[in-house]
């Protein structure tokens, strides 16, 4: 397991493991949604108005998803210059941490 994050309002647990991103019911831990993403490094979630958003960092891309009913649907893909080590979402911006520096990118 690479990263786990709970989203209380959705009653969901987001898990990144071996390039697979899955949602689990917080009460039962039963898998409710699954996406296979090659070279996924990390992810971050954010709530914008009434919609939950998810950003998954791969080696050279950020994949943006919006929550739709029982899972997430991809809405965008953004190229990035290097592999992300850490990722944060602030309002409409991503804070990207790379091996030797960091930058900010509009979502």
């Amino acid at each position: 397991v690479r990263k786990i994050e709970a989203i209380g309002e959705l009653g969901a647990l987001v898990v990144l493991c071996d390039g697979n991103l899955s949602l689990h019911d917080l009460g039962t831990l039963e898998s409710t949604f699954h996406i296979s993403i090659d070279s996924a490094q990390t992810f971050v979630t954010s709530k914008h108005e009434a919609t939950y958003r998810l950003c998954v960092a791969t080696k050279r891309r950020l994949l943006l998803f919006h929550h739709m009913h029982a899972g997430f649907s991809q809405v965008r893909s953004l190229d990035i210059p290097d592999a992300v080590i850490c990722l944060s979402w602030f309002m409409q911006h991503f804070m990207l941490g790379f091996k030797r520096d960091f930058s900010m990118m509009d979502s």
Side-chain angles (χ1 to χ4, degrees), residues 48-60:
H48 179 68
E49 295 173 0
T51 304
Y52 275 92
R53 305 175 297 178
L54 170 73
C55 177
V56 179
T58 66
K59 287 186 180 179
R60 296 287 183 167

Side-chain angles (χ1 to χ4, degrees), residues 18-55:
D18 296 328
N20 297 304
L21 190 77
S22 56
L23 260 71
H24 299 264
D25 182 275
L26 267 176
T28 64
L29 298 182
E30 186 175 322
S31 180
T32 59
F33 183 75
H34 178 84
I35 307 172
S36 250
I37 301 173
D38 289 336
S39 68
Q41 305 293 309
T42 189
F43 70 87
V44 65
T45 62
S46 171
K47 184 176 181 185
H48 179 68
E49 295 173 0
T51 304
Y52 275 92
R53 305 175 297 178
L54 170 73
C55 177

